[in-house]
Every structure is written in C-alpha cells, then in structure tokens.
Amino acid sequence: FYRWYDTRTGNAIASPQGAPVTQGYVSTVDNGWLAQGLLTAAQAFPAPASGFTALLNDMRWPLLYDKADNVLYNGYQVGGTYSNSTYQNAYSGPRIANYMAIGSGKVAGALWWGPARTPPASRKQRQVPAGQNETYTDPQNHQPYTLFEGHYTYDHIKFVPTFDCSLYQALAPDLVVPEQTLAPQSLGLNDRNTALAQGAYGSNGAKSPAWGWAPATSPTGRYTNYGVPDMGSNTGSVSHDVAVPYTAFLALPVIPTQADSDINLLMASYPGIYTQYGFLDSAEISSGAIATRFMAISQTAILMAIDDAVDHDQLQTYVGASEYAQVLAPYLKVEQYSIQGLAS
C-alpha cells in the first residue's frame, strides 16, 4: 500500500496535500502497522476476518527486504528505486515491520539478526555503548549469528537505544505484541528501562514537571521529533522543549504507577491540555503554551495504551494468538540484552 491517499477519491497522492500520482511511495513502517492492524482485526472480528486476511496475505514483504544487508529498506518508490537508508536499528518503531515480515513466513527469520542493537563502539554515536558479543542459534535455519549486545546508560539505567530518542519508537510495538511476556530478558525489559530512563531525564535533564518525548505538534503548529538527547543513537539535534501527553500513556502498560502519576502531573501543570475531545498534542515546558492541534495517531496511541492497561493487555492477545506470533516467539524468547541490573 502507498504512503498517502486522498481520502475523498482513494487515489494515491505525493504528500498529505500533494497532487495525485500514478506511482506512489511504499513506506515499510506504515505497511508494518497496517499489517498489524489487519492481523488484529482478523483475530478480533471473525465475521469479516476473511477480507482482512486476504489483504494481509497479499502483502509482499520480500519486495522491501534488503537481502544483502539482512535488513528492511525504509521504503520503495514505485517505478523508481529503494530509499537510500534502511532500518538498521532493532529497537525502534519500525520493528513492527520486522515482526510482520518474519511472522508472515515470506522473509526468513534470520532477518531478526540483521538490525543492530547498538552501532558498534567504533562508530560515531550519542554514547559509546557497553556490552559484549553474543552468539545465538537461529530457530529456523539453526545457523549461528553473533551480535554485539550493546547498551547505553542514563542515571544508572541500562537500555538499548532507539535511533532518535523517541518513546513512540520504543513502546508503540509493545501495545500490540506481547514483548513483556515473550521477551522478558530483552525487549520486554528494555521497554521498562527506556520508560524509566525517560522519567529520570524529566527531572534531571529537562527540568520538566512532566516527562515523555516523541514526535508531536508544537504550540507553533510544527510537527517534529522531540526526544531525550542522550538516549538515541542518532547524533543529530533533538529537542526536549515540549511535553508530549501520549508518551505518558505509552508507558502505562510498562510502568503503570509512574505513568499514572505523570499523566496527572501533566494535566495539573498544563491546564487546558485535556479537553472534551482528548489531549492536545503537546505543551511547551518553558512557557506553558499548549498546541492547538489534535493528532489522530496520538489519540490512537492513548486509547490503545489505556485498553492494554485496564484490560490486562487484551489488545496484545490478538497478535499473540496468531500464527505470526508462533513464528516470532522463538526469536523473542532466545535473546538476552546486556541490560540486567543497574550500571555502577
């Protein structure tokens, strides 16, 4: 499926307000989330399940697989070329696409070992990662794969970083894939540690009354990435100028007590951010100015997180009960990140 469509006509368009095109851009991460939605819907709604399944089965994941580097491309321009970059970070939002590609059986499970946990210590990045090499036996082809199991540290908390410091990249896949139960020594533990580290940064680094950073619309109307500068591997500039409500909700299923306190503190610190239509997208920490825009993706993340928090992770069970999860489970269970315990 293409990245952008005109909601009035169904035709592919070049950008959200762009002109119609005959050959659109295929976004890997967008198709990953779409595939997850189709898989969830097929499990949740038996009557129309065959339609959802037919769409899901028609998705051609090998088209987006860079076999030489054993990673997924960012996307593909139909009639043109693949994107110049690939998804080389294991712990980021695009891992939902890795889950769907492997779970479909159309891409070999060995894709699991392609993306880096951290870049190697010799490569320029935000921190010099600590860790060690570990060798695993692939559950499908039974071949050995050696990974550098690296991690960063903030406030003595060890974690595997996202690419650009975003809590959305870190925690959104956990809303639908049971990482806490299937990967307690890797992804599940890292979800918790990443949320705790962002909480620590709120009081220590940002001097903010509330914590949680991810892409959002600023009070000036600009949509951009916000994050914790010391927590992403990307060395580019990143801002912590705003507090982002939906990130506090993303942490609810992972660290419920701290996240609930953060949500209440956010509403108390920025009166007016919660309205009859839901949460506005951000608040500027220094001035208290509040964004005037609601974002559908932010509202959806909030609702999904609340559903997981109050309904005992029921939302996760749809993917968890699927054939996709049966393929993924051995990979989720076998790996152990180098993040156990606190750093000295």
Side-chain angles (χ1 to χ4, degrees):
F1 290 87
Y2 294 138
R3 188 174 190 177
W4 304 111
Y5 289 91
D6 187 321
T7 55
R8 298 163 299 180
T9 66
N11 294 329
I13 51 179
S15 65
Q17 289 82 35
V21 293
T22 56
Q23 296 175 318
Y25 180 76
V26 177
S27 164
T28 299
V29 65
D30 291 344
N31 275 279
W33 281 109
L34 176 60
Q36 171 279 136
L38 293 169
L39 183 62
T40 297
Q43 298 287 321
F45 303 107
S50 60
F52 298 132
T53 301
L55 289 171
L56 185 64
N57 290 343
D58 281 344
M59 297 182 79
R60 294 184 290 149
W61 289 107
L63 175 72
L64 298 170
Y65 178 42
D66 179 356
K67 192 172 183 180
D69 288 337
N70 196 25
V71 291
L72 297 180
Y73 290 104
N74 283 27
Y76 174 68
Q77 178 60 53
V78 175
T81 60
Y82 288 99
S83 55
N84 291 329
S85 53
T86 54
Y87 285 127
Q88 295 180 335
N89 282 63
Y91 191 68
S92 284
R95 70 182 182 274
I96 195 70
N98 289 342
Y99 288 158
M100 295 298 105
I102 294 171
S104 72
K106 297 176 182 179
V107 173
L111 168 61
W112 187 268
W113 315 112
R117 277 52 183 170
T118 65
S122 60
R123 186 178 301 174
K124 184 180 179 182
Q125 55 190 295
R126 190 73 66 165
Q127 295 187 26
V128 177
Q132 64 281 327
N133 288 333
E134 296 289 349
T135 299
Y136 300 96
T137 299
D138 185 89
Q140 287 183 7
N141 66 23
H142 308 295
Q143 297 298 309
Y145 290 85
T146 299
L147 301 177
F148 175 58
E149 291 287 8
H151 65 265
Y152 285 8
T153 301
Y154 185 82
D155 196 32
H156 306 289
I157 302 167
K158 295 187 286 188
F159 59 93
V160 173
T162 63
F163 177 68
D164 59 2
C165 332
S166 165
L167 204 61
Y168 180 82
Q169 284 192 344
L171 298 185
D174 182 59
L175 295 176
V176 291
V177 178
E179 294 177 344
Q180 305 298 303
T181 54
L182 291 180
Q185 299 302 313
S186 57
L187 289 155
L189 179 59
N190 204 51
D191 293 336
R192 180 178 182 274
N193 285 11
T194 301
L196 289 172
Q198 278 224 3
Y201 183 80
S203 56
N204 298 335
K207 309 299 183 185
S208 171
W211 56 268
W213 291 272
T217 303
S218 74
T220 63
R222 180 171 179 263
Y223 185 78
T224 189
N225 183 59
Y226 295 96
V228 177
D230 293 333
M231 288 182 60
S233 59
N234 181 17
T235 58
S237 61
V238 63
S239 169
H240 62 212
D241 291 346
V242 305
V244 182
Y246 77 87
T247 59
F249 285 89
L250 285 172
L252 262 179
V254 181
I255 49 171
T257 301
Q258 297 94 322
D260 181 66
S261 296
D262 192 39
I263 293 164
N264 285 289
L265 184 59
L266 189 76
M267 291 190 291
S269 302
Y270 304 104
I273 199 167
Y274 180 57
T275 77
Q276 62 179 319
Y277 302 112
F279 279 89
L280 289 159
D281 219 38
S282 72
E284 190 172 62
I285 293 170
S286 59
S287 68
I290 297 172
T292 58
R293 182 179 294 174
F294 300 97
M295 295 291 289
I297 190 170
S298 306
Q299 302 297 316
T300 302
I302 288 171
L303 291 172
M304 291 168 71
I306 291 172
D307 188 85
D308 270 332
V310 303
D311 202 18
H312 307 290
D313 295 325
Q314 178 65 33
L315 186 58
Q316 293 181 347
T317 65
Y318 297 118
V319 172
S322 71
E323 293 181 356
Y324 279 57
Q326 294 177 27
V327 177
L328 288 166
Y331 291 94
L332 287 157
K333 291 176 180 178
V334 73
E335 189 174 357
Q336 180 168 312
Y337 285 179
S338 61
I339 58 174
Q340 282 71 28
L342 293 174
S344 58

